[in-house]
Every structure is written in C-alpha cells, then in structure tokens.
Amino acid sequence: MNAYKDLESRGFIYQTTNAEMSEKYLSENKVHFYVGFDPTADSLHTGHLLPIMAMKRLQDAGHIPIVLVGGATALVGDPTGKTEARPILTKDDVAKNVEALKKQLSQFISIEDDKAIFVNNADWFEGIGYLDFLREVGHRFSINKMLTAESVKLRLETGLSFLEFNYMLLQAYDFYHLNKTYNCTMEFGGQDQWGNIIAGVDLVRRMNQKEVHGVTFPLLLDSNGQKFGKTAGGAIFLDTNRTSVFDYYQFWRNCEDTDVKKLLCFFTSLPVEEIAQLATLEAPAINRAKEILAYEATKLAHGKENAEKSFLAAGNKFGFADKECKIPTSSDITKIAICANSGADDLPSFEISSIPEDGYWIVQLFSDAELCKSNGEVRRLIKGGGAYLNGEKITDANYKITSTDFTDNQLILKAGKKKIKQIVYI
RNA sequence: GGUGGGGUUCCCGAGCGGUCAAAGGGAUCAGACUGUAAAUCUGACGGUUUCGCCUUCGGUGGUUCGAAUCCGCCCCCCACCA
C-alpha cells in the first residue's frame, strides 16, 4: 500500500489540490513535503498532533518531512479561523517558542540520518527587503482573489489588519522557498489552511514553473462540535510541565465512544483492520479500545515506560477493562504485567515539606496542589461532595490534615472522580 | 481627518445613578445515573478560614452621600464618508 492510500484509509485526507497527482507523488518518489507550525505558544497541544502523526506515517514510508517552525510567520499571526487578531508576540517570545516546539517535534519526527529537515522561516525572511518582496511576490497576488478566501471573508466582518492580511503571502513564499531549496513538492496542513496552501501551490507554479500539491487534514471535533483537545484543566499539552503524563493518558482514556475508532486511526499505528475490529466492541468492552488508544498515544508522546506507568496507575485506580487480555490486539499493552499496586506511585504528585503545627488546612492543600484554582473553588467542591481524602469524602471544610492522615508520608487527594494528586511529605 | 456606533466578569450578551459581584445563554466544574462514555437531571460558577469585607464593567481624572451607569481627557475597535 502506498503512503497516500495509507493516509486516506485512516481518514487523514480531507482535501487535495489533486488526489491523483498526490497519490502519484507519494507512491512513486521519495517526496520532500512540508508542514508548518507557528510558535505562538511554548508547547504543542493535541490540536497539533494530527499533522504530526501524518508526518510520522509519511516519514516511516520513506518520505522526507520538512518541519517548518514559523519564527517569521508567528510574528505576523495567521488570521485563519480567528475572529479577532491575536496579541502580537515579541521577538523574544517567539524565539523561545521556536526552541520549545523544535524539541517537542523532534520527539515524534526522527532527524537521524537526514530523515527529516527542520527549518525556521525567519532564516529566509529576515534577509528579504520590503520592496523586493513586494515586487517579487506581491505583484503575483490578486487582492480580489484574496478577498474571496474564507479566512479573509470572515475577518472582513470584524476587522483584519494589513499585517495579518499579509500572512498568506508569507506562507506561500515558504512553499516557494522550500521548493527551490529542497525540491519540496507537497504541503500538508489543517483543513483551515487550505487557502494558504493553494496560495503556495499557485506561487510555486508561477515562480518556479513547478507543479506541486497540497493536502489538508480534517478538523478534529468532539461530538459537541467543539474543538478537540480541551478538557478539565484546559487544553492538553505535550509539555509534561503543563500536562502530566498521567493526565495525558487520561485524556485519551476518557474519549467518547463515538470517537474511539477515529482516534485510533489517527493517533496509533495499529492496522486499520484491527481498529475496525476494536471499534465493534460493545458496552464495557469498548473501554479496552480506549485503554489501547490511551496507551499507544501516550507511548508516542512520552515513551513506552511512562505509558505503562500511566496505564497501571489509571487501571489500579479505576479498574482494568481487560485484565486477561482476551480481546485480541497487536498492541504491546498485553505485555504489561498487572499486579495489585503497580503504578500507584505514578499518580501526579505534589510535595510538601512541612505541616503547620495546628495541621494543614484541607482547603489550602487542595489549592496548593493545584487541584482547584482558588480556595473558594475547594469549598464549593467540598460542599458538592466531590472532594476526597484517602478515599473518604470530605465533609468538613475546616478539617486540618495532620501527620496521622499520612501513610508512609503520602496521602491521596481527589477532586471529582478523575482529578487525583498524591501528596508526598518530604 | 470627519460623522455615527461601540469597549461589561472565560466567551457571547443585558444593564444605563442606589435594590449590581452585575440578567440570559454558551463554555467549565461538581453531584445523581453510568462503563473513568454519551444523553439527561440537579447544583455551582470574582476573591477571601464566608455571609463581613475586598477587587471587577477599556484607561484616567471629576460630579455625587452613592457610578458599570453622568461629565472631561486619553487609548482601542467597528461602520460610512474623505
């Protein structure tokens, strides 16, 4: 099976400039293709994961990903999909973000043996003069046409600055530059990037007289039509300082039934046939499919060892879906030895170094451990019956924790059913 | 540059001198029901060792016993005109 068919069968392909040619490229040649990520924050989140997974699959199929981190484009800000301009980032912030993203991306995309190329568009944009750019690139763009782009149309209602309006030209120029420099012949991106991608395809044709193609991925939505990747504590990040491995695992484990199949296709490497099989599981057995999803997805982002720990920690907390491994799967989740308390130590933890003389006020501890945002929130939680100390429901908001509440200098706090923190007294 | 309309709590959006921590909706969180799912129902939703006080309605300075609400100046956004 060729790489194009592979992506197609897993649902990665939403739109292409030319399906036939795209398939031809990807099945007959070693293709240099590019995907851009704008460093607007210092961590990637689950929303970035879909293109990353696609890159990974293409790389595994022998193609060469050009991973573009948009140090220049982030300074301009992509208006696509935004109802208003985002705050303009400082150059320092962008530079920091570039480094952070590069690091995270390289966890997924192997750069050994020239199997991938990492670039930053600031490297070529910084040397270009305004007049040169206008004359060379600007004259090839029709305002009339740009105004028909979905991203621009939307913003025509609320306001679009000239800065942002230029974004399309920059992204198009990236494609031109990469085509000239690396013979990059394909660009991939999110569904919302369509306008920017075709602008690039056109520009390459005009300036380099080359035929290149673009492919977009579908937009991931949850069943409520909400953007995917947001949950309890906000967005799910790949940076473990922002989202612990356990929470990352739990994010996938808690996905909706109707999404399991889709997510397994996108975020694991299991064969499509097996996924189809897993997706037919009924009632409680479907949870096994979710465990596999969570385990595989966590393994990709944070490594096998961490994935195993999270699987065990979560399983011991909430139960395992298929302890005997009766459901067939090629995932090595079946090789993990499940024993009574394994993984118990791998819950997200919070360390305290001292207990006040009259005890550690329970409300304070919840907010210190970042289980709640404010003391008021903790009170509400307690009032609502969602706060637990070592498995016991807390009813008294004035309760003070003393050393007797600790076992081996540890205790467990729960906010709701799923947010858990282990408090370690050191 | 001119004229008109705006900037309200995470978002949308009402309020237009006290009864405003500010309607309503969305998002979110918790509880019940469940399968660590969905749907549904219930409650919460500025802060504070909580019922008293403190901080919030673009910024700033006024008027007033009292201002999100009135006035001056400034900043930003939108529409039309130039």
Side-chain angles (χ1 to χ4, degrees):
Chain A
M1 183 152 60
N2 66 47
Y4 183 85
K5 280 266 183 273
D6 172 59
L7 288 183
E8 195 179 35
S9 68
R10 303 185 83 96
F12 276 97
I13 294 174
Y14 176 74
Q15 203 171 196
T16 60
T17 45
N18 184 323
E20 226 171 275
M21 287 308 289
S22 299
E23 179 172 352
K24 195 163 180 277
Y25 277 29
L26 289 173
S27 56
E28 292 178 2
N29 311 296
K30 184 171 176 178
V31 171
H32 283 69
F33 66 99
Y34 108 85
V35 180
F37 300 88
D38 271 0
T40 49
D42 63 6
S43 174
L44 296 166
H45 54 259
T46 46
H48 294 110
L49 225 42
L50 191 67
I52 293 174
M53 291 305 296
M55 282 184 118
K56 198 176 158 58
R57 297 198 76 80
L58 288 168
Q59 183 180 45
D60 290 346
H63 300 293
I64 311 290
I66 299 174
V67 184
L68 183 150
V69 178
T73 31
L75 292 171
V76 171
D78 187 357
T80 307
K82 302 273 176 304
T83 44
E84 52 189 67
R86 66 169 100 224
I88 296 182
L89 299 164
T90 66
K91 290 194 174 183
D92 280 356
D93 284 342
V94 170
K96 261 183 237 153
N97 295 345
V98 166
E99 290 312 310
L101 294 206
K102 266 192 197 162
K103 210 174 127 202
Q104 289 183 356
L105 285 163
S106 56
Q107 287 180 268
F108 292 88
I109 307 297
S110 163
I111 40 172
E112 286 158 28
D113 310 323
D114 299 322
K115 280 200 290 197
I117 302 168
F118 276 69
V119 294
N120 178 349
N121 58 14
D123 292 342
W124 53 87
F125 275 118
E126 277 180 353
I128 301 181
Y130 189 57
L131 283 176
D132 289 336
F133 186 77
L134 284 182
R135 289 174 59 89
E136 199 182 336
V137 182
H139 92 272
R140 294 173 207 269
F141 277 80
S142 148
I143 295 277
N144 314 250
K145 194 170 175 187
M146 285 173 78
L147 291 178
T148 65
E150 196 52 45
S151 58
V152 173
K153 260 198 285 184
L154 180 78
R155 288 291 295 279
L156 247 22
E157 324 233 325
T158 54
L160 176 68
S161 71
F162 183 66
L163 176 74
E164 295 173 285
F165 188 58
N166 280 268
Y167 188 89
M168 187 185 271
L169 306 226
L170 297 192
Q171 185 164 335
Y173 189 85
D174 282 341
F175 202 173
Y176 154 79
H177 176 87
L178 294 173
N179 175 258
K180 210 173 79 173
T181 314
Y182 301 106
N183 190 31
C184 171
T185 52
M186 296 191 80
E187 175 175 0
F188 291 78
Q191 179 184 327
D192 56 345
Q193 290 297 309
W194 183 247
N196 292 334
I197 291 173
I198 54 175
V201 169
D202 282 346
L203 188 68
V204 174
R205 189 181 56 245
R206 291 187 197 162
M207 291 181 72
N208 291 348
Q209 286 78 48
K210 293 275 176 57
E211 181 183 344
V212 293
H213 289 287
V215 175
T216 58
F217 308 123
L219 186 64
L220 259 187
L221 296 172
D222 66 20
S223 64
N224 298 318
Q226 294 295 318
K227 231 179 182 172
F228 183 79
K230 299 263 163 86
T231 182
I236 296 294
F237 290 94
L238 294 180
D239 180 347
T240 50
N241 290 324
R242 294 230 206 168
T243 303
S244 71
V245 178
F246 180 78
D247 289 337
Y248 188 82
Y249 176 94
Q250 284 291 287
F251 166 72
W252 298 102
R253 176 59 254 265
N254 283 314
C255 76
E256 292 173 22
D257 287 11
T258 48
D259 289 336
V260 190
K261 183 179 180 185
K262 198 166 72 182
L263 298 179
L264 280 165
C265 281
F266 287 147
F267 302 108
T268 72
S269 304
L270 302 186
V272 188
E273 303 76 44
E274 183 184 332
I275 293 172
Q277 203 57 42
L278 288 170
T280 60
L281 294 172
E282 296 270 339
I286 185 88
N287 284 321
R288 180 57 165 177
K290 294 189 190 181
E291 278 183 4
I292 293 169
L293 167 66
Y295 171 72
E296 291 290 328
T298 308
K299 195 169 83 177
L300 279 169
H302 300 299
K304 192 173 168 174
E305 203 181 315
N306 283 321
E308 284 184 9
K309 283 183 188 168
S310 297
F311 165 70
L312 290 170
N316 278 309
K317 203 69 223 160
F318 300 109
F320 294 96
D322 183 25
K323 250 185 180 164
E324 284 84 43
C325 300
K326 285 188 185 138
I327 296 162
T329 171
S330 60
S331 166
D332 56 11
I333 194 171
T334 55
K335 302 205 181 81
I336 304 170
I338 298 172
C339 55
N341 264 320
S342 52
D345 292 343
D346 295 306
L347 295 170
S349 63
F350 176 74
E351 296 178 349
I352 56 172
S353 52
S354 67
I355 301 173
E357 203 148 305
D358 54 342
Y360 205 127
W361 183 35
I362 189 79
V363 171
Q364 196 61 49
L365 187 57
F366 265 86
S367 54
D368 286 349
E370 287 172 354
L371 282 162
C372 291
K373 284 196 214 73
S374 68
N375 290 358
E377 203 170 294
V378 185
R379 286 171 184 286
R380 271 178 245 133
L381 186 72
I382 293 173
K383 213 186 278 177
Y388 293 84
L389 164 62
N390 291 327
E392 298 273 324
K393 189 180 279 187
I394 300 167
T395 49
D396 178 13
N398 292 316
Y399 185 76
K400 306 268 203 241
I401 287 173
T402 59
S403 53
T404 55
D405 290 308
F406 287 85
T407 314
D408 294 337
N409 290 327
Q410 294 179 358
L411 61 78
I412 306 283
L413 292 186
K414 264 206 315 175
K417 279 183 207 137
K418 294 172 203 163
K419 268 190 282 179
I420 302 181
K421 274 247 163 103
Q422 179 171 246
I423 308 300
V424 184
Y425 179 45
I426 47 167

